[in-house]
């Protein structure tokens, strides 16, 4: 084989690999220089000699990076040449032959999830700029005992170059207002290599470099007690297997599948719980990464199937995390002589997101049994469960874990150190409650209405911890280094709090991140406490959080400490931690240009969310301070320390903590490490800056508002509402991991609270728009919110919404006068509530939009109106969520309707009376009379009678003086005479015989009148005489 240059490796390298292989421990190497990929072949050869076998290699790289890959086609050609004798190996390139003859798995950093569960003898990591702490955890943990992890730092002559190396993740940490990133994580990473006992830094010729003093000396000799302890552990496992050879099935078969003594003991404990009577046992299985928890769970479930448990349910954050679990279920079946298709069948998910993961196993050897996967939020499907297995319980929100607990056996496993989720809420809260219930198991359980509390009572708790790793030996130095550099193990000083000072006596300090990540012992102690508190208070954590905290230029860190007493030589216990970041400050023209390109830059979460939701690019120009995390010590929670820390942060950024001495404040901006130094030895950087700064000494930016983003829950909403925050965004879809709606809340700073700024009037428009949308969405995507939670969201906007009472012309379009009659009948219990169901949405919109400010409803009444009116729920659903009796709910609802009806009726009456008042406005100019109405009527009657009598007198005078008695001119004749005269017709005159005599007639005239006329001449004479007589009388 041809080599470009003959290389002799440092003797310390061979000694280190050989010694650690005997202890089943791993080795960490960092190789610097040019053309160093070929040195992998030499290191692989040394591993092969120590293990007497050729180990497989996991080669990790960036996506689309150049790797020394050989195709299968070239491999077949090479094998064909060897068989034919046409190939002379001594003339071939040695590195090409190595690549063709070695089992190499190439994996990009982004696909590191795919190698979980696999074990390799060697891991090569190139393209250091593309690695993240999370992928580093996954990759390193795949190396088995006796293996080697190699960092290829190509092109570097010194480790100091790595301290100022730009990482790919830095592009996601930059923001518009903070474009410069200081790689503090890399600086600490370089120093941390000296903490690993099995680490060497090599140059391109595989010679040990002397930059790190702790690694430049001779290799430590292997302690004999470590080897004896390893042999003792293996001997105890063999003895246990031998003692169970004569035991009944399934104990011998399943214990033979175990790899470590701890794993075997855990399987035996779980089998004991499964065979106990009562079925209310709980097994808690906790350990670090790679201890075989999932394998132990799988073997225990195989035993449960053998013991005839029918309904077995298993849950985890995602079904693809259960690959190892189901693998060992099937190994247990094989050991118990179960055959696939004959005794059981495997059902895989058809969901593309689950990647064909196993979700169900049907067993039908004797009768039907089922192993079924369920989502962590589907606790309602466990009514018939006999066994529930919860894998990675620490990565599931604690309320969901409590809801899963029922009257059946439970086995829960959790990784307390690792990348799946380092949240310790499971061990710190739930397990503590189970311990208290177990200690009081002899007492009578007190009846309670809380379902979760009653489910936790009368349960027996069995705690099992796995310390021995399956892949490598106990006390592996690479594992200890990884846990320390990524702060995955809690410090011993944070287990118990020594004192409980009043919150108002505690002080907040800003942490200088440049000093915190310098690698000094005091800084490491504080960093360990900070990361432990952040992990303990959150259910979902990732090692990437450490790099964000160290390198993100816009992030700030604060700690709440008790009073420092005289004579204290170390820092006091950290009570609370606050992590914040500065966002916004983006000009309108920049945000408009980004919006037109359809981009969404990394960072600035709240400004971009508000701008996209309210379609207002000007919202990005406001500078805000987002609270990322608030972590309180578990022993001090719900005691006011978190609120105290938040208050002090607000006061600090509003300029209320000012140094009156006008002393020059130290610069807290992270400083880049200086690669140029006279000394070749790398040691923690010396700095004159303090680690902690008082608020009066720390500089701060001028901000317009404070903000926070979190998963919406009632306790958190109340906490932030008390601090003055108002919600401006709630996602319509629940988070798949947490099962909660994401919420963004903003606390605008008033002019009196800000040293420089534009005021807080800009928040009124988004607040009113949010309430309008929120009330509409409660009947759709947000209908699953608890009514009390939705009511708290609306209450948070009481200070920003105008209290303007609605007018009747706006109301009558949705609530008419006839509708008020229906409300009146229901309020008087003359009709059923179903008569007004259609009016509830309109009434709820008016009330919760502050259009009826004079109506005051209690929280219970408001919740009923919100649930039935806006969320369109039935009365039974609302009272179930409120935990109310039906009679009380109906009474409260009726009283709420009466108050609404009273206000609406008053608005209607005021609207109807308004025109009347306008028409009678002119009456104000009239003067009231001095007499009564009766007197006025009597006078008017007298005047009328007087005028009438005077008028009659005048008429009589005129008649009498001119014509005398005119009654004598009245036309005589009855109706029959008139009819006969009209029938005769023929002339223009009508003659009717009169039967009346004049008023004054003599006897002669009367006799003559009574006598019939003899002829016409007599008639004429009589007429002439009558006329003459009349003229004479006149």
């Amino acid at each position: 084989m041809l080599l470009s240059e003959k290389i002799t490796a440092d003797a310390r390298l061979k000694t280190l690999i050989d010694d650690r292989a005997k202890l089943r421990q791993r080795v960490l190497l960092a190789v610097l220089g040019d053309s160093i990929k070929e040195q992998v072949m030499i290191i692989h050869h040394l591993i092969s000699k120590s293990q007497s076998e050729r180990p497989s290699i996991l080669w990790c790289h960036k996506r689309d990076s150049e790797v020394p890959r050989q195709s299968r086609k070239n491999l077949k050609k090479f094998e064909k040449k060897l068989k034919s004798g046409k190939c002379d190996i001594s003339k071939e390139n040695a590195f090409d032959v190595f690549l063709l003859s070695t089992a190499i798995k190439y994996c990009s950093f982004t696909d590191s999830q795919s190698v979980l569960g696999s074990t390799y003898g060697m891991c090569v990591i190139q393209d250091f700029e593309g690695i993240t702490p999370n992928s580093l955890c996954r990759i390193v943990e795949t190396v088995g005992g006796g293996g080697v992890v190699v960092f290829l730092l190509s092109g570097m002559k010194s480790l100091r170059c790595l301290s100022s190396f730009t990482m790919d993740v830095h592009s996601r940490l930059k923001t518009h207002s903070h474009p410069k990133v200081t790689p503090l994580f890399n600086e600490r990473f370089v120093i941390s290599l000296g903490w690993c006992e099995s680490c060497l830094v090599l140059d391109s010729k595989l010679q040990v470099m002397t930059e790190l003093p702790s690694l430049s000396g001779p290799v430590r000799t292997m302690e004999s007690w470590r080897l004896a302890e390893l042999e003792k552990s293996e001997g105890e496992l063999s003895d246990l297997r031998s003692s169970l050879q004569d035991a009944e099935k399934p104990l011998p078969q399943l214990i033979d599948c175990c790899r470590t003594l701890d794993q075997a003991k855990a399987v035996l404990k779980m089998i004991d719980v499964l065979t106990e009577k009562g079925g209310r046992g709980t097994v808690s299985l906790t350990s670090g990464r790679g201890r075989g928890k999932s394998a132990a769970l799988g073997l225990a479930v195989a035993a449960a199937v053998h013991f005839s448990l029918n309904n077995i349910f298993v849950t985890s954050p995602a079904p693809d995390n259960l690959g190892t679990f189901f693998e060992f279920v099937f190994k247990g079946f094989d050991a118990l002589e179960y055959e696939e298709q004959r005794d059981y069948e495997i059902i895989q998910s058809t969901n593309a997101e689950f990647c064909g993961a196993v979700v169900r196993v049907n067993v039908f050897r004797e009768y039907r049994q089922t192993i079924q996967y369920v989502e962590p939020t589907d606790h309602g499907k466990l009514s018939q469960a006999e066994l529930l297995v919860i894998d990675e319980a620490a990565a599931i929100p604690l309320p969901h874990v409590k809801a899963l607990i029922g009257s059946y056996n439970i086995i829960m496993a959790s990784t307390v150190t690792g990348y799946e989720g380092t949240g310790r809420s499971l061990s710190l809260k739930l397990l503590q409650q189970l311990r208290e219930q177990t200690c009081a198991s002899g007492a009578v359980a007190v009846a309670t209405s809380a379902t979760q509390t009653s489910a936790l009572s009368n349960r027996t708790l069995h705690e099992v911890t796995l310390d021995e790793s399956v892949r490598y030996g106990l006390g592996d130095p690479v594992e200890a280094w990884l846990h320390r550099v990524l702060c995955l193990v809690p410090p011993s000083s944070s287990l118990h709090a020594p004192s409980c000072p009043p919150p108002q006596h505690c002080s907040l300090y800003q942490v200088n991140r440049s000093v915190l990540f310098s690698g000094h012992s005091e800084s490491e102690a504080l960093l360990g406490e900070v990361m432990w508190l952040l992990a303990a208070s959150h259910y979902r954590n990732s090692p990437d959080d450490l790099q964000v905290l160290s390198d993100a230029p816009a992030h700030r860190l604060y700690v709440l400490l008790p009073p420092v007493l005289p004579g204290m030589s170390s820092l006091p216990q950290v009570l609370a931690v606050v992590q914040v970041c500065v966002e916004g400050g983006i000009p309108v023209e920049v945000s408009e240009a980004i919006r037109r390109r359809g981009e969404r830059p990394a960072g600035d979460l709240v400004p971009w969310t508000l701008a996209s939701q309210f379609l207002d690019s000007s919202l990005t120009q406001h500078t805000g301070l987002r609270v990322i995390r608030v972590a309180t010590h578990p022993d001090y929670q719900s005691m006011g320390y978190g609120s105290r820390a938040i208050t002090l942060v607000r006061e600090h950024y509003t300029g209320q903590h000012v140094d009156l001495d006008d002393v020059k404040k130290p610069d807290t901006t992270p400083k880049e490490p200086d690669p140029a130094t006279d000394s070749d030895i790398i040691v923690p950087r010396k700095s004159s800056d303090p680690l902690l700064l008082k608020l009066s000494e720390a500089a701060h930016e001028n901000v317009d508002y404070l903000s926070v983003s979190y998963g919406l829950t009632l306790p958190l909403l109340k906490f932030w509402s008390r601090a003055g925050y108002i919600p401006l965004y709630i996602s319509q879809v629940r988070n798949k991991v947490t099962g909660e709606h994401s919420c963004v809340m903003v606390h605008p700073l008033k002019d009196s609270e800000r040293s420089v700024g534009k005021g807080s009037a800009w928040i009124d428009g988004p607040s009113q728009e949010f309430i309008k949308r929120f009330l509409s969405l409660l009947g759709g995507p947000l209908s699953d919110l608890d009514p009390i939670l939705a009511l708290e969201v609306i209450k948070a906007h009481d200070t920003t919404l105008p209290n303007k009472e609605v007018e009747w012309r706006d109301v009558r379009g949705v609530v008419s006068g006839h509708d008020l009659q229906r409300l009146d009948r229901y309020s008087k219990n003359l009709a059923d509530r179903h008569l007004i169901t259609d009016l509830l949405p309109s009434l709820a919109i008016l009330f919760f939009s502050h259009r009826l400010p004079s109506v005051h409803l209690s929280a219970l009444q408001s919740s009923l109106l919100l649930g039935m009116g806006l969320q369109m729920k039935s009365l039974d659903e609302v009272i179930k969520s409120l935990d109310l009796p039906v009679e009380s709910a109906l009474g409260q609802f009726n009283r709420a309707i009466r108050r609404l009806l009273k206000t609406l009726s008053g608005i209607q009456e005021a609207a109807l009376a308004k025109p009347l008042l306008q028409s009678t406005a002119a009456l104000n100019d009239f003067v009231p009379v001095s007499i009564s109405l009766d007197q006025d009527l009597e006078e008017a009657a007298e005047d009328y009678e007087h005028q009438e009598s005077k008028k009659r007198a005048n008429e009589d005078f005129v008649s009498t003086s001119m014509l005398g008695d005119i009654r004598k001119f009245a036309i005589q004749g009855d109706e029959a005479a008139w009819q006969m005269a009209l029938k005769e017709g023929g002339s223009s005159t009508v003659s009717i015989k009169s039967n009346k005599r004049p008023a004054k007639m003599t006897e002669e005239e009367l006799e003559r009148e009574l006598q019939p006329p003899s002829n016409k001449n007599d008639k004429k004479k009589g007429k002439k005489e009558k006329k003459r007589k009349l003229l004479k009388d006149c």
Side-chain angles (χ1 to χ4, degrees):
M1 293 184 291
L2 298 179
L3 286 173
S4 59
E5 182 181 357
K6 187 176 180 180
I7 296 177
T8 302
D10 196 305
R12 287 172 287 186
L13 175 60
K14 183 178 183 302
T15 303
L16 180 64
I17 292 177
D18 291 342
D19 291 348
R20 297 301 171 178
K22 296 177 182 178
L23 296 175
R24 294 184 59 245
Q25 294 179 352
R26 299 173 293 178
V27 175
L28 180 65
L29 300 178
V31 184
L32 290 74
D34 300 325
S35 303
I36 57 178
K37 293 181 181 179
E38 295 182 358
Q39 316 311 327
V40 175
M41 177 181 60
I42 302 175
I43 299 173
H44 183 270
H45 176 68
L46 296 177
I47 300 174
S48 301
K49 292 180 64 176
S50 65
Q51 297 183 355
S52 301
E53 61 179 4
R54 290 182 60 83
S56 59
I57 298 178
L58 175 65
W59 200 296
C60 299
H61 56 88
K62 286 199 309 182
R63 188 179 294 276
D64 301 329
S65 177
E66 294 184 2
V67 294
R69 188 192 303 268
Q70 290 291 341
S71 64
R72 292 184 180 180
K73 184 177 180 180
N74 293 338
L75 178 60
K76 290 181 179 180
K77 288 182 179 180
F78 182 72
E79 291 177 350
K80 189 175 181 179
K81 287 183 179 180
L82 287 178
K83 291 180 181 179
S84 63
K86 298 180 180 179
C87 178
D88 187 1
I89 297 181
S90 60
K91 296 182 180 180
E92 296 290 335
N93 185 280
F95 189 64
D96 292 339
V97 175
F98 166 74
L99 295 176
L100 291 171
S101 59
T102 307
I104 302 179
K105 166 71 175 179
Y106 295 96
C107 177
S108 64
F109 296 134
T110 56
D111 297 333
S112 58
Q113 186 78 19
S114 61
V115 299
L116 291 179
S118 303
T119 303
Y120 301 91
M122 183 178 181
C123 176
V124 179
I125 302 175
Q126 72 173 48
D127 305 325
F128 185 82
E129 67 274 9
I131 199 170
T132 62
N134 212 16
S135 58
L136 179 64
C137 275
R138 297 193 185 104
I139 293 169
V140 172
E141 290 299 323
T142 60
V143 181
V148 177
V149 180
V150 182
F151 288 98
L152 298 181
L153 304 178
S154 180
M156 295 187 184
K157 301 299 182 182
S158 171
L159 285 176
R160 295 185 182 277
C161 299
L162 189 62
S163 300
S164 57
F165 202 60
T166 301
M167 307 292 287
D168 292 347
V169 72
H170 289 171
S171 61
R172 299 195 299 270
L173 301 180
K174 297 178 182 178
T175 62
H176 183 272
S177 57
H178 297 80
K180 187 178 181 180
V181 177
T182 303
L184 297 177
F185 180 85
N186 290 359
E187 179 186 1
R188 181 172 174 270
F189 179 84
V190 171
I191 297 175
S192 71
L193 294 177
W195 304 338
C196 182
E197 298 178 358
S198 61
C199 178
L200 288 177
V201 180
L202 308 173
D203 58 13
S204 59
K205 297 181 180 180
L206 297 184
Q207 300 299 310
V208 176
M209 301 180 66
T210 60
E211 288 186 309
L212 292 175
S214 59
L215 305 181
S216 59
V219 177
R220 295 183 182 181
T221 58
M222 181 179 58
E223 297 89 345
S224 58
W225 65 271
R226 291 182 179 273
L227 187 59
E229 186 177 0
L230 178 62
E231 294 175 352
K232 179 182 177 181
S233 177
E234 294 177 350
E236 290 179 353
L237 178 60
S238 300
D239 295 341
L240 179 61
R241 290 173 177 172
S242 302
S243 64
L244 295 175
Q245 289 298 323
D246 298 333
E248 296 182 356
K249 196 175 183 179
L251 293 183
Q253 294 79 5
L254 296 181
I255 296 303
D256 287 341
C257 299
C258 297
R259 298 282 303 276
T260 63
L261 181 63
D262 287 348
Q263 191 181 44
K265 291 180 179 180
V267 172
L268 290 177
K269 172 57 69 175
M270 287 185 283
I271 292 177
D272 289 342
V273 174
L274 293 177
T275 55
E276 289 180 355
K277 294 182 179 180
R280 293 181 64 86
T282 302
V283 179
S284 171
L285 190 61
T286 58
S287 72
R289 170 68 187 166
R291 264 55 178 177
K293 298 182 304 301
S294 299
L297 294 178
L299 296 176
V301 169
V305 172
H306 178 78
F307 290 132
S308 304
L309 295 183
N310 297 332
N311 300 318
I312 302 173
F313 292 88
V314 57
T315 185
S316 73
D320 52 357
N321 293 344
L322 297 173
T324 304
F325 167 80
F326 280 109
E327 177 186 351
F328 277 84
V329 169
F330 302 143
K331 285 186 178 181
F333 283 169
D334 294 339
L336 298 176
E337 300 178 352
Y338 281 69
E339 294 185 9
E340 188 178 356
Q341 302 301 332
R342 189 191 71 178
D343 298 325
Y344 66 92
E345 64 177 357
I346 302 173
I347 299 177
Q348 295 177 306
S349 174
T350 58
N351 192 337
E353 297 180 358
F354 296 162
C355 302
V358 178
V359 294
R360 185 183 180 94
V361 178
N362 293 326
V363 183
F364 36 80
R365 186 174 191 176
E366 297 179 358
Y367 47 86
R368 188 172 183 84
Q369 298 170 279
T370 303
I371 305 174
Q372 175 68 53
Y373 169 79
V374 294
E375 295 283 348
T377 56
D378 294 339
H379 54 83
K381 299 180 180 180
L382 304 177
S383 57
Q384 302 298 324
E386 298 179 40
L387 172 64
L388 174 64
V389 178
I390 308 175
D391 196 10
E392 297 304 341
I396 302 175
L398 183 60
H400 294 339
V401 178
K402 287 187 176 182
L404 291 171
I405 297 177
S407 57
Y408 36 78
N409 287 321
I410 297 175
I411 302 176
M412 60 177 66
S414 177
T415 301
V416 293
T417 56
Y419 50 83
E420 287 96 342
T422 55
R424 296 185 55 85
S425 60
L426 176 76
S427 58
L428 295 174
K429 298 178 182 179
L430 178 61
L431 295 184
Q432 180 62 30
Q433 190 173 358
L434 290 173
R435 292 188 193 104
E436 296 174 357
Q437 295 290 346
T438 302
C439 295
S441 58
V444 179
V446 180
T448 176
S449 60
T451 305
Q452 293 179 355
T453 305
S454 61
L456 294 176
S457 61
N458 294 335
R459 301 193 67 90
T460 57
L461 175 64
H462 306 271
E463 298 186 61
V464 180
T465 303
L466 302 182
D467 295 325
E468 189 175 357
S469 175
V470 174
R471 291 189 178 91
Y472 41 82
L474 187 65
D476 181 70
V478 175
E479 181 190 40
W481 165 80
L482 188 66
H483 288 174
R484 183 177 177 184
V485 72
L486 298 180
C487 301
L488 299 179
V489 178
S492 58
S493 61
S494 297
L495 296 179
H496 299 286
S499 61
C500 183
Q504 60 272 17
H505 293 169
C506 301
S507 301
L508 191 71
Y509 297 86
Q510 187 183 71
V511 181
N512 191 334
R513 292 187 296 159
S514 180
V515 180
L516 181 65
F517 290 91
S518 62
H520 290 279
S521 57
E522 296 81 2
S523 301
E524 288 298 314
L526 179 61
L527 180 62
E529 287 192 35
V530 168
M531 296 306 298
W532 178 79
L533 286 180
L534 293 175
S537 64
H538 204 259
Y539 57 86
R540 189 76 175 178
N541 294 273
S542 169
D544 290 344
D545 299 338
L546 180 64
Q547 190 173 23
V548 173
L549 180 63
S550 62
D551 292 354
H555 285 229
R556 308 288 183 266
L557 187 66
Y558 298 88
V559 292
L560 185 70
L561 300 180
V564 179
L565 301 178
M568 294 183 64
S569 59
S570 61
L571 288 175
Q573 175 69 54
V574 178
L575 303 178
V577 178
V578 182
Q579 182 183 358
V580 300
C581 69
V582 181
E583 296 181 330
I586 306 173
V588 178
E589 54 273 11
V590 175
S591 60
E592 283 287 346
I594 294 175
R595 183 185 61 83
R596 285 192 296 267
R597 293 195 299 267
E599 298 177 356
R600 174 66 182 270
D604 295 318
L605 173 65
V606 173
W608 288 118
T609 300
L610 297 181
S612 61
Q613 286 298 312
F614 301 108
L615 303 179
D616 187 0
S617 301
S618 63
L619 294 177
T620 60
Q621 66 181 347
H622 300 286
T623 303
L625 184 76
R626 177 165 63 94
V627 180
I628 300 177
R629 287 189 182 182
V630 180
T632 307
H633 195 286
D635 294 341
Y636 294 144
Q637 291 182 353
S638 301
M639 298 176 63
Y641 293 104
S643 300
R644 172 65 175 171
I646 291 297
T647 302
L648 291 176
V649 168
R650 178 178 58 81
E651 293 177 354
H652 173 54
Y653 279 88
T654 53
Q656 299 184 32
H657 294 272
V658 181
D659 190 0
L660 299 180
D661 296 334
D662 196 19
V663 180
K664 182 180 180 181
K665 299 180 180 180
D667 185 11
T668 60
T669 305
K671 301 177 180 178
E672 290 190 11
D674 186 7
T677 179
D678 296 336
S679 176
D680 294 334
I681 299 177
I682 298 178
V683 294
R685 175 169 39 86
K686 296 181 180 180
S687 176
S688 59
D689 296 334
L691 176 61
L692 299 178
L693 296 173
K694 295 180 180 180
L695 296 184
S696 58
E697 300 173 349
H700 65 84
E701 294 83 357
N702 293 319
V703 297
D704 301 312
Y705 63 90
L706 308 178
S707 63
V708 65
S709 176
Y710 62 94
L712 184 60
T713 59
L714 185 59
L716 288 178
L717 179 63
K718 289 184 176 180
F719 173 81
W720 291 109
S721 296
R722 287 196 302 268
Y725 289 70
I726 59 176
L728 290 183
Y729 169 75
I730 295 178
S731 64
Q732 301 181 24
V733 181
R734 288 183 178 270
N735 188 284
K736 294 182 179 180
V737 177
T738 64
E740 300 166 349
H741 295 272
S742 299
C743 177
V744 173
M745 299 184 71
V746 172
H747 172 55
L749 299 181
K750 300 178 182 179
D751 295 336
S752 58
E753 296 177 326
R754 305 171 66 255
S755 55
V756 179
K758 312 176 186 64
S760 60
W762 63 272
I763 204 68
D764 295 339
S767 174
Q768 297 173 19
E769 179 69 16
F770 169 80
I771 284 295
K772 177 184 175 182
R773 297 183 189 178
F774 182 73
L775 297 180
S776 301
L777 293 174
L778 282 176
L782 301 181
S783 60
D784 55 350
L785 288 181
D786 189 87
I788 298 180
L789 177 60
L791 181 62
E792 289 294 330
V793 172
I794 298 174
K795 280 186 175 180
H797 291 262
D798 287 346
T799 58
T800 58
L801 294 179
N803 293 324
K804 183 179 180 181
E805 191 169 61
V806 68
E807 297 183 1
W808 177 248
R809 65 170 178 268
D810 299 326
V811 175
R812 63 185 179 185
V814 291
V815 181
S816 63
H818 177 69
D819 296 335
L820 294 181
Q821 295 180 10
R822 288 192 286 158
L823 294 174
D824 181 67
R825 291 186 63 83
Y826 171 73
S827 65
K828 296 178 180 178
N829 295 322
L830 299 178
D832 189 70
R833 58 181 173 82
H834 297 94
L835 183 66
I836 62 169
T837 303
D838 61 306
L839 300 177
L840 296 182
S842 301
L843 295 176
I845 290 290
L846 291 174
F847 175 74
F848 291 112
S849 300
H850 290 208
R851 303 305 303 276
L852 301 174
S854 59
V855 180
H856 299 284
L857 301 182
S858 65
L860 186 58
Q861 294 170 350
S862 300
S863 300
L864 290 170
L865 181 62
L866 186 146
M868 299 174 63
L870 296 179
Q871 295 184 306
M872 307 301 177
K873 295 181 179 180
S874 64
L875 180 63
D876 296 336
E877 293 175 337
V878 177
I879 63 178
K880 182 179 180 181
S881 60
L882 296 178
D883 195 17
L884 278 177
V886 179
E887 297 79 7
S888 177
L890 288 175
Q892 293 290 342
F893 182 68
N894 187 276
R895 282 189 283 272
I897 294 298
R898 287 205 301 266
R899 293 182 181 180
L900 292 170
L901 174 63
K902 181 180 178 181
T903 300
L904 291 175
S905 299
I907 295 174
Q908 182 190 34
E909 292 174 0
L912 295 177
K914 189 175 181 180
L916 298 178
L917 295 177
Q918 293 177 352
S919 62
T920 58
L923 298 177
N924 296 329
D925 299 334
F926 288 83
V927 179
V929 296
S930 59
I931 59 176
S932 63
L933 178 61
D934 294 337
Q935 294 176 348
D936 191 16
L937 291 176
E938 290 177 358
E939 291 181 0
E942 293 178 357
D943 293 341
Y944 179 76
E945 291 293 339
H946 177 71
Q947 293 177 1
E948 287 296 322
S949 60
K950 185 177 180 180
K951 183 178 179 180
R952 286 196 297 269
N954 292 334
E955 290 178 353
D956 294 343
F957 173 77
V958 174
S959 306
T960 305
S961 60
M962 295 181 61
L963 302 175
D965 190 4
I966 62 175
R967 287 179 297 176
K968 61 184 178 181
F969 298 107
I971 299 175
Q972 305 300 317
D974 53 7
E975 185 67 22
W978 276 99
Q979 293 293 336
M980 185 175 293
L982 291 174
K983 288 180 179 180
E984 293 178 356
S987 63
S988 59
T989 59
V990 177
S991 299
I992 299 176
K993 182 180 180 179
S994 176
N995 295 327
K996 293 184 179 182
R997 62 178 181 176
K1000 295 180 179 180
M1001 188 176 291
T1002 61
E1003 292 294 336
E1004 295 180 357
E1005 292 176 348
L1006 180 59
E1007 290 179 357
R1008 194 168 44 252
E1009 186 69 25
L1010 292 175
Q1011 292 179 359
S1014 57
N1015 49 36
K1016 294 182 179 180
N1017 295 328
D1018 295 338
K1019 291 181 179 180
K1020 292 181 179 179
K1021 291 180 179 179
K1023 291 181 179 179
K1024 290 180 179 180
E1025 291 178 359
K1026 186 183 293 185
K1027 186 176 181 180
R1028 193 180 300 114
K1029 182 66 175 173
L1030 289 173
L1031 292 174
K1032 184 180 180 180
D1033 294 337
C1034 293

